[in-house]
Each structure stands twice: as C-alpha cells, then as structure tokens.
Amino acid sequence: MKRILLLLFMTALSLSQTHAKDTNTATDWTGTYNTNFGQIILHQKANYVVGTYRDLGGIRSMYVSNNQLIGVFYNNGKEGHFKFTKTAKGFTGKWGWTYKLEGGSWDGNLVADVKQHYLKGQWNTDYEDLFLIHSPTGIVAGHYGDKGGMIWGKYAGTKIFTGNYTNALGREPRTCSFIFTDNNTFKGKFDANEYGSWNGTRVRENTTTSSTTDRSTAPQPKFKLKITLNSFKCNGADNLFNREQGFVYVVPSLQTMGVDVKPGNFNIQTGDQKVSEHRSSLYPPAARFKENYPVGTAIQINNSAVYPIIYPINLFQPGRYAAKMQFVFREFPVISKGGALVFAENERINAKRNIELKEVLKFLSGQTRAEDYPLVNGTNGRRRLPNSNDTFWLESIGGKRYVRGYGDIIEPKKGKIRFGYHYTMELLPL
C-alpha cells in the first residue's frame, strides 16, 4: 500500500511540475532556518532542494513549486514527510510519518548563514559531480548530478561519510560510503562494491574574475591526464645498411565523447560543448631534414602534453561516446631523385593508433588493479587493456600510479618499415 501511495504521490507531483515548470525556481530556499524542531540548512540547485536536519539526518525535496517545498526528512534513519510554504521571514509547514502529515506544525525563521564544515562545496567524482553542504552537527547532504539526484548521511570523526544517494529525483535510495584521506579527496564505494569504486576530488575555488564563463554550468575537468612520449626506435627498415632514413613525427590528440579537447585552458560552449580541435606534436623536428634511424637504436624524447578530461568515466564507451588517445605516427622516407635527396611523400608511413582511455583512467584513479587485466605472453609483464592494440605496464611507484604503453607501427604496404614507441600516462592534480 505504501508503494502504491508513493506512486500516486509522485504522479501528482509530476503533473503539477509540468504545469508549473516555468515558475518553479522563483523562490530560493537556500539558507539556514531555526525551526520548532531545531536548525535546518537548505540548499537549492535549479528545481531541487537538499538539506541537513539537526544531528539527525538529511532532507531531500520531492517537489518544489513557487513557494511550496514538499519532501522527505530522516530522523536517525526513520523516514518522515513534510510540506513547507515560504513566507517573508521563513516558512510555515506540516510534517508526519506518513503522507497525511498528521504530526503537527513545522515552522522556521530564516537566520544568518551558519558556518559550515570541511566538506562544503563542489566535488568532481568518477560519475556525476557532487555539491555538498556540511552542518556543524556532522550531517552532510548534497546534490548529485543535474537530474535531481541527492546524497545525505553522517560524517564521523574518523573521516568516514556513510549514507544514501539517489541518481535522479524520485529514484530509490542506494547506500554509499566515502573515506576522506584529507579534506580534498575521498575513496568511496556504493552498494556492495569495494572502496575505490567511487572516488572524488574537491574543486578549487576559481579566484579569477576575468573569465566570462559560467563555471556553475560549464563542464569542469574530472581528470587532468599527462602523456609523455618517452622514446621510439626503428624496429625494421626497407633501406640499405639496416637503417631507415627520413623524417619522423608523433602527434597524439585526445577525444572525449567524440569531441577533441584542447590542452591547458579550454573554452567550452555550454550548449553543445564544442571545443577547439587540438593535436600536440610530441616529436616534431625543427625542420624537415633527413635523419638516420638505425634498427634497434632507441631515440629518447620525453616530451609531454596535458589534457583535461571533462566527462566521468562511466560515460565512456567504445565508439562515439568514448575517451581515446590517438597517436598519428608518420615517417617520410628520403630517396634520391635526379641526384638530390627528397622526401617521398607517397612512400610515407601514415598510421593511426587509438588507445581507449576508460580502463587507463580506472587504473590511474585507483578503481582497478593491475591484476584485473590479462598478461600478454612474451612482453615482459605488459598487460592487455580492452579495445587497444597497444600493451601496457601498470605500475604503482611511491604511492602514485602510472600506465606505460608500448605500440609498434608497421608500414602498411610492404610491412618492412616498423617503428615502436614507448609512452607514459599519469594523472595530475586538478
């Protein structure tokens, strides 16, 4: 019966929300209120409200329209219901353990904002972003994503948050728990998963005022990925003297969700999230001149590029909705023509290699272990990651993780000219 009443209740709310869609956000419920049942702190994002209730639990909205707020509160795990009506000085309301709201009145006055504790603010996570409020009583509540998802629970002196979350408005609550190694990072879990399956990093306050970008709506980086071309070498040659002669350059570019992402500062149009295409040349000789590449001789490079990744890991899938690093590897051989050495443009190696980054990011962020991926025979410990022809060493050094990759590009016509390359990927602090 309770589930039937809930379905009828949510259906009524849905119809009311449709009717009042254009006016729902006219009232802002954000603030601190002293009520006849103790202090509550509310925060509104778009048409959704979350809050903390004394030291007893969280508050989450089910319906917000004009001057009305209808929702659920938690009292040491027990679920209750309320309806608030905004007034000039606060709100008047009713509450109850059922939808009939027979518990009596629940009124509040808006007071000066109380100083919140450590976890307050925006957090990037492996999935959707969080915005948390943190009551001095230890209760934490927040917005999860942009579809009315919410999170609520308690933060203990052991720096462990335990509570519940929903993916979107009206969804069934699911359990979660975060361990904060400091006030800026956490390793978390949800449902019956292990810690490390849901991790997050605090978003630093933006201190610059020159930008016109609305940081509250523009996508923010979830990761900052650094890729370094360590070296390459000629593994096979079609020329004389067991060497290849010509010009080589290696250019990686990053794509997320089918959109190229520019390293460093990037300008995103929040409507369709277009960004400028960018490719970083990690091995560009100063000019086109002939070089000798003896077979088996490694050429040390160690050039790097840094890319922001603006989408959470769970959205990445092979195909359009993907995060991938693409190597464009070209070698222009030099031939003798009319007594002069010239580049043979039609003889060049022009190969592309895609490295899907979903599993790379999962390992670098601590969600997976090296042992989760199969070893490749005869590669001295390299492992196979899904959807990539390259193979990888997955390493943890000094508490930090690295993915070292190896690929071998083969000239497509004769299959004799081959260049291998080594590179390293790591995450940098946001």
Side-chain angles (χ1 to χ4, degrees):
M1 175 61 75
K2 183 177 181 181
R3 181 173 294 274
I4 294 173
L5 288 173
L6 175 61
L7 289 173
L8 292 173
F9 180 69
M10 292 304 298
T11 301
L13 293 186
S14 177
L15 293 172
S16 299
Q17 285 174 314
T18 301
H19 178 71
K21 184 176 181 180
D22 293 334
T23 58
N24 277 350
T25 57
T27 299
D28 187 0
W29 287 88
T30 299
T32 302
Y33 300 81
N34 286 340
T35 83
N36 52 316
F37 290 107
Q39 191 174 83
I40 66 174
I41 303 172
L42 301 179
H43 187 275
Q44 182 164 347
K45 175 183 177 182
N47 201 41
Y48 312 109
V49 176
V50 296
T52 64
Y53 172 40
R54 288 173 41 188
D55 59 345
L56 300 175
I59 291 173
R60 61 188 180 108
S61 64
M62 301 297 287
Y63 174 54
V64 180
S65 178
N66 292 328
N67 65 340
Q68 287 191 350
L69 169 62
I70 298 173
V72 175
F73 70 92
Y74 295 88
N75 185 327
N76 285 325
K78 187 176 181 180
E79 184 178 287
H81 306 271
F82 68 86
K83 176 181 177 181
F84 295 159
T85 301
K86 203 79 163 66
T87 65
K89 296 182 179 180
F91 64 83
T92 59
K94 295 182 179 180
W95 75 277
W97 296 119
T98 70
Y99 300 114
K100 294 181 180 180
L101 304 181
E102 296 176 336
S105 64
W106 191 357
D107 305 328
N109 293 319
L110 186 64
V111 297
D113 288 338
V114 67
K115 184 177 181 181
Q116 295 185 34
H117 277 205
Y118 317 107
L119 307 185
K120 178 183 182 294
Q122 189 80 21
W123 295 76
N124 284 337
T125 85
D126 297 333
Y127 302 100
E128 301 295 335
D129 287 346
L130 294 172
F131 181 87
L132 302 179
I133 59 176
H134 187 179
S135 166
T137 62
I139 301 299
V140 176
H143 302 280
Y144 175 53
D146 298 317
K147 298 180 180 179
M150 301 177 192
I151 187 169
W152 63 96
K154 293 185 178 182
Y155 177 78
T158 55
K159 295 188 176 181
I160 298 177
F161 166 85
T162 55
N164 299 86
Y165 76 100
T166 59
N167 290 322
L169 184 66
R171 297 280 178 85
E172 287 293 322
R174 302 166 65 178
T175 61
C176 61
S177 179
F178 303 150
I179 297 176
F180 290 82
T181 52
D182 52 39
N183 291 328
N184 298 308
T185 56
F186 69 78
K187 286 189 176 297
K189 66 176 182 177
F190 59 96
D191 298 339
N193 295 310
E194 296 182 357
Y195 281 103
S197 58
W198 187 3
N199 303 320
T201 305
R202 183 189 295 276
V203 177
R204 299 294 194 275
E205 293 288 340
N206 182 26
T207 57
T208 61
T209 58
S210 59
S211 173
T212 58
T213 302
D214 183 357
R215 296 182 65 86
S216 66
T217 59
Q220 299 300 304
K222 304 293 186 296
F223 304 96
K224 203 189 274 187
L225 180 68
K226 178 181 179 181
I227 179 168
T228 301
L229 177 63
N230 304 119
S231 65
F232 69 84
K233 68 180 177 180
C234 181
N235 290 329
D238 197 25
N239 285 342
L240 300 176
F241 311 114
N242 201 31
R243 57 104 174 99
E244 193 59 33
Q245 186 177 44
F247 160 68
V248 169
Y249 72 94
V250 181
V251 182
S253 66
L254 182 76
Q255 286 194 335
T256 59
M257 304 287 281
V259 181
D260 283 336
V261 177
K262 184 178 180 181
N265 296 322
F266 56 100
N267 183 22
I268 301 176
Q269 301 172 6
T270 58
D272 53 7
Q273 299 179 343
K274 289 182 178 178
V275 297
S276 301
E277 180 177 351
H278 188 90
R279 296 175 182 268
S280 298
S281 297
L282 294 185
Y283 183 69
R288 287 192 173 185
F289 55 87
K290 65 176 183 177
E291 291 187 358
N292 288 321
Y293 302 105
V295 170
T297 300
I299 299 174
Q300 300 298 319
I301 308 300
N302 295 320
N303 289 335
S304 302
V306 177
Y307 299 87
I309 297 178
I310 61 176
Y311 294 96
I313 293 176
N314 67 311
L315 294 181
F316 296 135
Q317 301 295 336
R320 181 177 182 272
Y321 293 101
K324 62 184 178 181
M325 181 70 67
Q326 183 181 80
F327 274 100
V328 180
F329 193 100
R330 293 177 181 172
E331 192 264 347
F332 295 87
V334 173
I335 62 174
S336 177
K337 187 175 182 180
L341 294 175
V342 297
F343 287 107
E345 294 281 347
N346 60 346
E347 301 279 338
R348 69 184 181 182
I349 297 177
N350 187 8
K352 297 181 180 180
R353 183 69 64 83
N354 290 330
I355 297 94
E356 296 284 346
L357 292 177
K358 182 174 183 177
E359 297 300 324
V360 170
L361 294 173
K362 286 173 69 174
F363 174 77
L364 289 176
S365 62
Q367 295 187 42
T368 58
R369 306 166 301 165
E371 295 77 15
D372 295 330
Y373 305 98
L375 287 167
V376 179
N377 293 332
T379 61
N380 193 25
R382 295 200 298 272
R383 296 179 182 271
R384 178 74 65 193
L385 299 186
N387 305 306
S388 178
N389 291 324
D390 289 3
T391 53
F392 304 89
W393 287 281
L394 307 179
E395 300 173 332
S396 298
I397 302 174
K400 185 173 181 179
R401 293 189 170 199
Y402 299 88
V403 171
R404 291 196 297 122
Y406 174 77
D408 192 19
I409 294 292
I410 302 175
E411 184 269 326
K413 293 182 179 180
K414 299 179 181 179
K416 293 183 178 180
I417 302 173
R418 297 172 55 196
F419 279 91
Y421 56 93
H422 290 87
Y423 57 97
T424 300
M425 290 185 282
E426 60 186 289
L427 295 182
L428 299 182
L430 289 172

